[in-house]
Amino acid sequence: MTVHFHEEDLPEGVFAPGASIAVDTETMGLITPRDRLCVIQLSDGSGDEHLVRFGPRSSYEAPNLRELLGDPDRLKLYHFARFDLAAIRFYLGVTAAPVYCTKIASRLVRTYTDRHGLKDLVRELLGQEISKQQQSSDWGGPELSDAQKEYAASDVRYLHAMKLELDKRLEREGRMPLAQAAFDFLPGGRSWISPAGPRWTSLRIFDSTMPHRPAPPPGLPQDAGAGRPGGERAGTAGLKGASMSEVAARLRSQKRGWAHPGSSHDRIVRLGLIILPVGIGVLGAFLVVAPLLMGGDVSFVLDKNKVDVSPERLRIDAAEYRGADDKGRPFHLHAGSAVQRSSLEPIVRLNDLSAEIRLDTGLASLRAERGQYDMTSQKVAVNGPLKFQTSDGYVLNTHDATVDLKTRRMESGGAVTGNTPTGVFSANKLTADLESRTVSLEGNARLRIVPSRANRR
C-alpha cells in the first residue's frame, strides 16, 4: 500500500482502462467559488492511492486527470459526491461521472442511525479506524505533511470495499433502484445529461474580478461551470433583474424588522429569559445520573411533549433527552414531569425519573420515583428508592440519595444492596465522586460470592 504524490497532473497510464475510481477532494473551505481546489485523491481499489496537488496559481489544465475524470465509461466512487463534483466541475471543467455516492447509499440502508460520516461507515462496514484529525488543516500550504497525505489517501482507500458492502444491503432491502435514481440525479447522472447539453445551474456569488479565478479550459463554454462568470442564477425568479447589492439590502431590511424591539424575535428572547434558567436546573438534575453510566462527554437532543407557562409556575410533562456518549453508545433520559410551583420557590420537583444506556454488554437502566432540584444550593435530592440494573446481572438498590452539583458528589441516605453475576453485596452507605467516577461502599460492607455463579462465569 503506497501513497503516490503528484504536482498539477496525473502521469499517463496510472490506472487500467475502465476500472472504477474512488475520488475525493481537499479544498480551502466549503464555498466552491471562493475556496480553491488544492488536492484530488484517487484510487482504483488495488491498494495504492494517488494524490494530485494544485498550487495557488494553478491553471488547472491537468489533461491526464481531466481525461480520466471525464471518461463516461469509468464509474467514480465518492463519499458526499455533490461537493466533490462541484469542485471538480468548477476548477477542472469536467463532469466526473457516472457517480456512486457511499453517503447516499448509507442513508438509504442504514436508517437505524444518523451517523453517515466516512469514519462511521468504515468502522461499521469494514471494522477499520481512520483519523479525521487533518480534515480542517491548511491544504493550500507550500508543503503537505505526512499526516495530511495519509489522511487524504484514507478518504479514498476504503470506498471500493464499502461499495461492495453497501450494494449487498441495497439489494437485500430492495432499494438499489432508488439508490441508482439518486445517483443519476446528481450532476453528471443520466437524468442530468440531455441532448441539448448539461443542465448545469450556477450561483454567481463573486464578480469577474475575483482574484486567481482559473480560466475555463479550452473548448469549455463560459457558462458550463458552477459559479463561473456568465452562468444564470437558478431558483431566483423573485429576484430576477436585481443586483447582488439590492438583494443584500432587501435581506438586511427583513432581518432588521425581525429583530426590532417588540418583534416576534424580541418576544421569543424575553420568554427565553424566563424558561431557560428553570430548564437548566431540570437538565442538571438529569445529567447527574449520566456519569454513573458512561464516561466522556455526551450530546443530546431535547424533545418535550408539552410546556405550560404561567406567571407563577412552570410545568414540563414527559421530558426526554436522547443522545450518544463519546463511544457512540445511545442513551435516553426521561422524566414524567418537572414542576416549579411558584416563581418565589427555587425548587423544581421531578417525578418518574429514568435513564437508559446501551452498553457493550447490553442495556443498563436507572430508576427513581421522585426527586427535587434546589436551584439555590444546586443540590438534587432523590426521595425514595433508587435502582440501577444491567441486562447481564448487575443490580444496585439504595434510597434517598443526594447529589451536590457544586462538589459533584453523591451520597445515599440509607443502606445499599445489590447483586452481581457472581454473588451479592451490601453496605450501610454509598458515596460517589462524579468527577473521578468512583463509587465507594461504606460501613459494614460485605460481598458474598456464590460458587455456582462464579463457575458459570
Side-chain angles (χ1 to χ4, degrees):
M1 185 170 61
T2 306
V3 178
H4 304 273
F5 187 72
H6 315 286
E7 296 280 1
E8 298 296 333
D9 196 8
L10 194 69
E12 291 186 18
V14 171
F15 297 113
S20 61
I21 300 295
V23 184
D24 190 48
T25 62
E26 304 299 339
T27 65
M28 289 297 293
L30 299 178
I31 301 178
T32 299
R34 181 194 68 188
D35 302 320
R36 67 181 178 87
L37 175 64
C38 300
V39 179
I40 290 184
Q41 308 96 276
L42 307 112
S43 172
D44 61 359
S46 64
D48 290 356
E49 295 83 35
H50 293 263
L51 314 183
V52 180
R53 185 177 68 164
F54 301 98
R57 303 284 176 175
S58 177
S59 63
Y60 295 97
E61 292 293 334
N64 295 330
L65 181 59
R66 290 177 58 214
E67 181 181 1
L68 176 76
L69 294 175
D71 185 353
D73 297 324
R74 189 187 294 268
L75 180 66
K76 285 79 177 181
L77 313 182
Y78 302 89
H79 186 77
F80 195 39
R82 60 179 184 156
F83 179 85
D84 299 317
L85 286 167
I88 293 170
R89 179 70 183 184
F90 188 90
Y91 288 95
L92 293 176
V94 295
T95 302
V99 176
Y100 185 102
C101 180
T102 56
K103 188 164 191 175
I104 291 176
S106 173
R107 286 184 174 274
L108 290 176
V109 294
R110 297 174 68 248
T111 50
Y112 48 82
T113 180
D114 60 354
R115 295 173 177 267
H116 302 284
L118 181 63
K119 183 176 181 178
D120 300 299
L121 276 175
V122 171
R123 180 191 295 122
E124 179 181 324
L125 299 181
L126 306 178
Q128 300 287 336
E129 292 290 340
I130 61 174
S131 170
K132 305 297 286 185
Q133 191 172 5
Q134 298 297 319
Q135 186 172 29
S136 299
S137 59
D138 181 12
W139 292 97
E143 297 291 338
L144 295 183
S145 66
D146 290 340
Q148 284 179 306
K149 293 178 182 178
E150 174 58 26
Y151 166 83
S154 69
D155 275 356
V156 294
R157 181 172 297 153
Y158 302 102
L159 293 187
H160 285 83
M162 283 168 49
K163 177 183 182 299
L164 295 176
E165 293 299 319
L166 289 168
D167 281 351
K168 292 178 184 177
R169 299 192 184 190
L170 288 168
E171 293 287 359
R172 183 190 70 194
E173 302 300 324
R175 295 174 186 168
M176 183 62 81
L178 180 60
Q180 190 59 56
F183 303 152
D184 292 344
F185 184 77
L186 290 168
R190 287 194 295 263
S191 66
W192 186 79
I193 297 295
S194 69
R199 300 200 302 267
W200 187 271
T201 60
S202 62
L203 176 63
R204 190 174 180 183
I205 299 177
F206 299 100
D207 62 21
S208 58
T209 61
M210 176 185 174
H212 314 322
R213 181 189 299 278
L220 180 70
Q222 282 282 339
D223 62 348
R228 291 189 183 276
E232 293 183 3
R233 188 171 180 177
T236 57
L239 301 176
K240 208 158 189 176
S243 67
M244 286 303 295
S245 59
E246 291 172 344
V247 174
R250 194 178 310 169
L251 294 175
R252 186 168 58 249
S253 298
Q254 293 174 355
K255 291 179 180 179
R256 284 177 176 173
W258 183 69
H260 194 273
S263 66
S264 59
H265 173 264
D266 192 52
R267 291 193 296 271
I268 291 172
V269 171
R270 199 175 304 164
L271 182 62
L273 291 175
I274 300 172
I275 294 178
L276 288 180
V278 178
I280 291 172
V282 177
L283 172 61
F286 277 101
L287 292 185
V288 293
V289 299
L292 296 176
L293 303 178
M294 65 194 76
D297 298 330
V298 297
S299 61
F300 55 84
V301 177
L302 171 63
D303 174 25
K304 50 188 181 298
N305 296 335
K306 183 178 179 183
V307 179
D308 292 328
V309 182
S310 69
E312 295 298 324
R313 186 183 68 175
L314 182 140
R315 178 183 182 89
I316 302 177
D317 291 330
E320 294 188 1
Y321 300 84
R322 297 178 184 271
D325 68 359
D326 58 345
K327 296 183 179 179
R329 299 175 299 192
F331 67 83
H332 173 209
L333 307 176
H334 170 85
S337 65
V339 180
Q340 184 184 15
R341 293 180 177 175
S342 169
S343 59
L344 301 177
E345 181 184 32
I347 301 295
V348 179
R349 289 172 170 78
L350 309 167
N351 293 290
D352 188 20
L353 305 174
S354 65
E356 294 182 346
I357 183 171
R358 179 70 63 179
L359 301 175
D360 296 336
T361 55
L363 188 68
S365 63
L366 188 68
R367 298 281 188 275
E369 293 181 1
R370 60 189 180 276
Q372 63 181 31
Y373 171 61
D374 189 327
M375 291 183 284
T376 302
S377 64
Q378 295 189 31
K379 291 184 178 181
V380 178
V382 176
N383 304 319
L386 180 68
K387 182 175 183 178
F388 172 72
Q389 185 172 8
T390 66
S391 59
D392 58 344
Y394 289 90
V395 178
L396 184 149
N397 293 287
T398 185
H399 60 86
D400 299 333
T402 301
V403 180
D404 190 327
L405 298 182
K406 291 182 180 179
T407 61
R408 294 185 62 78
R409 293 186 62 83
M410 175 180 172
E411 182 176 304
S412 70
V416 55
T417 61
N419 300 330
T420 72
T422 58
V424 296
F425 64 89
S426 63
N428 293 341
K429 185 179 180 181
L430 175 146
T431 61
D433 187 327
L434 305 183
E435 194 68 39
S436 61
R437 292 180 170 83
T438 58
V439 177
S440 302
L441 302 177
E442 301 177 2
N444 201 26
R446 296 184 178 182
L447 171 65
R448 183 165 66 92
I449 297 177
V450 180
S452 58
R453 293 188 188 178
N455 292 335
R456 286 199 298 268
R457 302 296 293 179

